[in-house]
Amino acid sequence: MTGSLTITGLGPGDAALITPEVSLALAVATDIFGYGPYVARVPAREGLVLHASDNRQELQRATEAMRLAAEGRRVVIVSSGDPGVFAMAAAVFEALEASPQWHGLAIRVLPGVTAMLAAAARAGAPLGHDFCAINLSDNLKSWPVIEQRLRLAAEADFAIALYNPRSASRPEGFGRALDILKHAGCGDRIMILAHAVTTAEERIESLPLRDASPEMADMRTLVIVGNSSTRRVGRWIYAPRGVS
Amino acid sequence: MTGSLTITGLGPGDAALITPEVSLALAVATDIFGYGPYVARVPAREGLVLHASDNRQELQRATEAMRLAAEGRRVVIVSSGDPGVFAMAAAVFEALEASPQWHGLAIRVLPGVTAMLAAAARAGAPLGHDFCAINLSDNLKSWPVIEQRLRLAAEADFAIALYNPRSASRPEGFGRALDILKHAGCGDRIMILAHAVTTAEERIESLPLRDASPEMADMRTLVIVGNSSTRRVGRWIYAPRGVS
């Protein structure tokens, strides 16, 4: 058996959003690596070895996955959403850089539906005009970098998708982001908070940014801040295609 | 029969990237609306009415689709990629705003794999850190807006996905974007040009931005400009997760 490493995205939660390409990769895998709750989404099957690990262990997970692939296993790494957006693909290439002996490995990255696309679809079309995506987790970057990006994104009048807005270990980031955006003149903008999108616990809220409070978000929330033209029609929220 | 309007994304080209949710919507539809080449991707079936139209007719297409849905048809609008990213969903809500009689219509938006995610997956993980997406088409916005967004995106050190970089009717936009990004200090950044990604004509190129020329892109090209830390490992390109 020739080993391989396939880095996949399971979409935001609903199995009907897993691409057939990813389902096929899962069906022929020998080993699945990933954060526990994502590994738990893979259908169990005799002979399939599940390697669930903690959320903070991306590099160790990537290295172990490469080691097994190099031994000839068909290894699949699972992320939520898309593997290339604030997920495992970058961690694998970081680990690969540190491991020249594995540069010849057969690696594939299979895209998926990232959370902001699913959240946007539920709300309407808030990403129908230019937009950006910012990870509010400051595990791997300093807060001043996040702060500057928020200010520039507001100035550019991008719609802004905020990933990982808040966790128990970093409770203050989302509140700081709200303050920065208010001071940058975004208080009137429509904000969408999509909680556990496409799962049974899904809950979508929207309100003017100035009325949002930090405890409205947690790590299962994807936040979209509309641009200055974003508006409502009936129950829908969308960004008009044209601006002057 | 109760009518409905479902706005779907077919992904970038490969049928293995169409979500099961979208495939189901196509399977129960009575009418398909969309730009000709996208409608042509829907499997033909007896009784299914195909309404192909020209690329510039988004609002008329949306209005006609709503009219048929209001009459009781199960109407599906198809876009390439994700319907919410520079595609039909925003046009439908614009048309809905002008048509209060249809505000009660049963509308759903089903997300898809947008081109930048598929292009990023082919290249590695260039969107693994904060990024933005800018539509270079100036049909619906002025060039100074595009120019300012490019400058601010460079200053924010976002990876930058450029949609619709170049067409026969707008041959000069991509060249202007390259000039702006060079002057903004992005000459050394890695640029990825993904042509017809996930189709039989797929071609992925990468080079330093300063060496790119305008004729390298056309309307089937998705361009990703890396951030200042984006680098290569073997044949892969990725954005490291951490920055200072």
Side-chain angles (χ1 to χ4, degrees):
Chain A
M1 183 165 74
T2 306
S4 62
L5 180 61
T6 308
I7 309 162
T8 68
L10 299 177
D14 184 345
L17 292 177
I18 301 177
T19 66
E21 182 179 67
V22 168
S23 292
L24 177 61
L26 296 172
V28 301
T30 60
D31 297 81
I32 307 285
F33 281 82
Y35 175 47
Y38 306 151
V39 171
R41 290 175 54 198
V42 177
R45 145 169 75 77
E46 198 173 354
L48 180 66
V49 186
L50 304 178
H51 307 259
S53 50
D54 191 72
N55 207 5
R56 296 292 179 92
Q57 302 179 340
E58 286 93 350
L59 283 181
Q60 303 95 300
R61 180 190 300 150
T63 303
E64 178 66 5
M66 282 193 288
R67 193 182 62 72
L68 281 197
E71 289 175 2
R73 311 279 295 176
R74 281 191 301 270
V75 178
V76 171
I77 296 180
V78 291
S79 289
S80 179
D82 177 88
V85 175
F86 312 134
M88 279 301 295
V92 170
F93 294 115
E94 255 179 70
L96 185 66
E97 197 166 351
S99 310
Q101 73 275 23
W102 292 328
H103 280 197
L105 257 185
I107 297 177
R108 286 194 309 156
V109 184
L110 306 185
V113 174
T114 185
M116 70 177 165
L117 300 184
R122 286 293 200 261
L127 304 180
H129 198 77
D130 301 336
F131 62 93
C132 66
I134 297 176
N135 187 352
L136 282 192
S137 167
D138 57 3
N139 293 334
L140 292 162
K141 63 186 166 188
S142 69
W143 185 259
V145 168
I146 297 174
E147 182 164 333
Q148 194 205 16
R149 286 186 182 154
L150 289 168
R151 287 188 207 287
L152 291 168
E155 186 181 347
D157 202 9
F158 284 129
I160 305 170
L162 299 175
Y163 280 75
N164 302 315
R166 197 161 181 264
S167 71
S169 63
R170 303 174 289 99
E172 73 295 343
F174 183 54
R176 290 165 79 176
L178 289 175
D179 287 341
I180 291 163
L181 291 171
K182 275 180 227 168
H183 285 114
C186 301
D188 289 334
R189 292 202 193 184
I190 299 175
M191 173 175 264
I192 299 156
L193 297 111
H195 180 76
V197 64
T198 81
T199 76
E201 294 85 43
E202 176 177 293
R203 195 177 67 244
I204 313 284
E205 297 176 274
S206 63
L207 73 177
L209 186 141
R210 72 172 76 262
D211 297 335
S213 57
E215 67 279 7
M216 286 181 173
D218 64 25
M219 282 307 272
R220 296 186 73 197
T221 308
L222 187 289
V223 176
I224 296 176
V225 179
N227 68 25
S228 63
S229 304
T230 299
R231 56 185 190 244
R232 295 178 187 274
V233 51
R235 80 163 196 79
W236 301 100
I237 296 166
Y238 80 102
R241 298 168 304 150
V243 300
S244 56
Chain B
M1 184 165 74
T2 305
S4 62
L5 180 62
T6 308
I7 308 161
T8 67
L10 300 177
D14 184 346
L17 292 176
I18 301 176
T19 67
E21 182 178 67
V22 167
S23 292
L24 178 60
L26 295 173
V28 301
T30 59
D31 297 81
I32 307 285
F33 280 82
Y35 175 47
Y38 306 151
V39 171
R41 290 176 52 197
V42 177
R45 147 170 73 77
E46 199 174 353
L48 180 66
V49 187
L50 304 178
H51 307 258
S53 50
D54 190 73
N55 207 5
R56 297 293 179 91
Q57 303 180 339
E58 287 93 348
L59 284 181
Q60 301 96 300
R61 180 190 301 152
T63 303
E64 178 65 7
M66 285 194 285
R67 192 181 64 73
L68 281 196
E71 289 175 1
R73 310 281 293 179
R74 281 192 300 271
V75 177
V76 171
I77 295 179
V78 291
S79 289
S80 180
D82 178 88
V85 175
F86 313 133
M88 278 302 296
V92 170
F93 294 116
E94 255 179 70
L96 185 66
E97 197 166 352
S99 310
Q101 73 274 25
W102 292 327
H103 281 198
L105 256 186
I107 297 178
R108 288 194 308 156
V109 184
L110 306 186
V113 174
T114 186
M116 70 177 164
L117 300 183
R122 285 294 199 260
L127 304 180
H129 198 77
D130 301 336
F131 63 92
C132 66
I134 298 177
N135 186 353
L136 282 193
S137 168
D138 58 2
N139 293 335
L140 292 161
K141 63 186 166 189
S142 67
W143 185 258
V145 169
I146 297 174
E147 182 164 333
Q148 194 203 18
R149 286 186 182 153
L150 289 168
R151 285 188 207 287
L152 292 167
E155 186 180 346
D157 202 9
F158 284 128
I160 305 170
L162 299 176
Y163 280 74
N164 302 316
R166 195 158 182 266
S167 71
S169 62
R170 302 175 289 98
E172 72 297 344
F174 184 54
R176 289 164 79 174
L178 289 174
D179 286 340
I180 291 163
L181 292 169
K182 275 180 229 170
H183 285 115
C186 300
D188 289 334
R189 293 202 193 184
I190 299 175
M191 172 175 265
I192 298 155
L193 297 111
H195 180 78
V197 65
T198 82
T199 74
E201 294 84 43
E202 176 177 293
R203 194 178 65 244
I204 314 284
E205 296 177 273
S206 64
L207 73 178
L209 186 141
R210 74 172 75 263
D211 296 336
S213 57
E215 66 280 5
M216 286 180 171
D218 64 25
M219 283 308 272
R220 297 185 71 197
T221 309
L222 187 289
V223 176
I224 297 176
V225 180
N227 67 25
S228 64
S229 304
T230 299
R231 57 186 190 246
R232 295 176 186 274
V233 50
R235 79 164 195 81
W236 302 99
I237 296 166
Y238 80 103
R241 298 167 306 149
V243 298
S244 56

